[in-house]
Amino acid sequence: DAGVTQSPTHLIKTRGQHVTLRCSPISGHKSVSWYQQVLGQGPQFIFQYYEKEERGRGNFPDRFSARQFPNYSSELNVNALLLGDSALYLCASSLVPDSKQFFGPGTRLTVL
Amino acid sequence: AQTVTQSQPEMSVQEAETVTLSCTYDTSENNYYLFWYKQPPSRQMILVIRQEAYKQQNATENRFSVNFQKAAKSFSLKISDSQLGDTAMYFCAFTLGGSNYKLTFGKGTLLTVNP
């Protein structure tokens, strides 16, 4: 079975631009969570979605938004990129929100 | 707010030896879960072990075991018979029980297993 997949693998953007990151959960998983991992730090929770509804939101500005589609895949959008948004963005899927999470390989975003 | 602290930024161990990674956490809740995740240089985060707070028995997974001290809010990971493939960042993580599974991570410990 395929694990959690994320695209793209790497991305380079300039300040002020917008970016969309994509995540496909493990087949059968209905919940997707997004985390930001800045270099040298542990991941920080951004969003959790379940059945296309937002179930939780971390301490991130409104420039960050996400959505979940009927097939349970998810997009994370970041507007007006700042240098500080450079990070590894991790997606995790689970059967339901309170079950074990499986992480994808991440998208490395660099903002210049 | 819940916090997770890993006080050892880096550790090293010789192959086949045993190493213990430390983690402390802070919460006023009683229903929660604790985890150790491994992130190798290839960066895919992998769940190593999970502990339910209501269980007194320490969790074990093959060569990995935890020492869960609820009163002290301590959750250490012991790796026995260390292997070169254990070289990775190890993150301690916490989540409250219930319908939301937001993970709060520590800053991580970089473990290097030397041949």
Side-chain angles (χ1 to χ4, degrees):
Chain A
D1 284 341
V4 178
T5 60
Q6 293 186 242
S7 63
T9 306
H10 296 90
L11 202 53
I12 300 175
K13 292 285 188 178
T14 57
R15 281 179 297 174
Q17 285 189 313
H18 162 272
V19 69
T20 297
L21 311 181
R22 295 178 175 83
C23 171
S24 292
I26 292 171
S27 178
H29 285 195
K30 298 182 178 181
S31 181
V32 169
S33 297
W34 287 95
Y35 292 83
Q36 180 196 64
Q37 187 178 14
V38 174
L39 193 63
Q41 302 290 321
Q44 279 202 301
F45 173 76
I46 309 175
F47 287 110
Q48 185 184 64
Y49 275 77
Y50 176 60
E51 294 283 14
K52 302 186 292 293
E53 290 190 2
E54 183 182 302
R55 282 297 193 95
R57 184 185 182 110
N59 188 24
F60 280 81
D62 292 343
R63 299 184 297 107
F64 289 77
S65 63
R67 55 179 175 168
Q68 186 176 35
F69 299 99
N71 66 354
Y72 303 111
S73 67
S74 178
E75 283 183 354
L76 175 69
N77 296 284
V78 187
N79 293 324
L81 285 167
L82 303 174
L83 296 179
D85 295 332
S86 295
L88 180 67
Y89 287 85
L90 297 168
C91 172
S93 80
S94 57
L95 283 168
V96 291
D98 61 345
S99 62
K100 184 172 24 175
Q101 293 190 8
F102 295 84
F103 282 83
T107 294
R108 171 71 65 190
L109 172 65
T110 302
V111 182
L112 302 177
Chain B
Q2 288 73 33
T3 59
V4 177
T5 302
Q6 293 179 250
S7 59
Q8 305 153 314
E10 294 186 38
M11 293 191 72
S12 63
V13 64
Q14 292 299 120
E15 199 174 4
E17 293 188 346
T18 296
V19 64
T20 298
L21 308 184
S22 301
C23 172
T24 58
Y25 60 95
D26 189 25
T27 183
S28 58
E29 304 290 334
N30 279 317
N31 180 18
Y32 55 88
Y33 299 85
L34 294 160
F35 308 84
W36 279 97
Y37 279 89
K38 169 185 177 181
Q39 190 175 40
S42 65
R43 79 186 180 205
Q44 187 115 19
M45 192 84 74
I46 303 164
L47 177 63
V48 175
I49 201 164
R50 160 181 153 145
Q51 174 80 44
E52 292 88 345
Y54 62 86
K55 288 187 177 179
Q56 291 188 334
Q57 187 172 5
N58 289 323
T60 62
E61 287 287 343
N62 302 313
R63 298 183 295 107
F64 299 88
S65 62
V66 298
N67 183 5
F68 175 45
Q69 301 288 327
K70 191 172 183 178
K73 296 182 181 175
S74 170
F75 183 63
S76 60
L77 174 70
K78 185 172 83 170
I79 306 174
S80 303
D81 186 26
S82 296
Q83 300 175 359
L84 296 178
D86 294 334
T87 293
M89 280 292 288
Y90 286 81
F91 292 97
C92 179
F94 167 102
T95 190
L96 290 174
S99 62
N100 187 308
Y101 216 63
K102 164 191 168 184
L103 289 168
T104 299
F105 287 85
K107 290 188 175 181
T109 296
L110 176 60
L111 176 66
T112 302
V113 180
N114 298 308

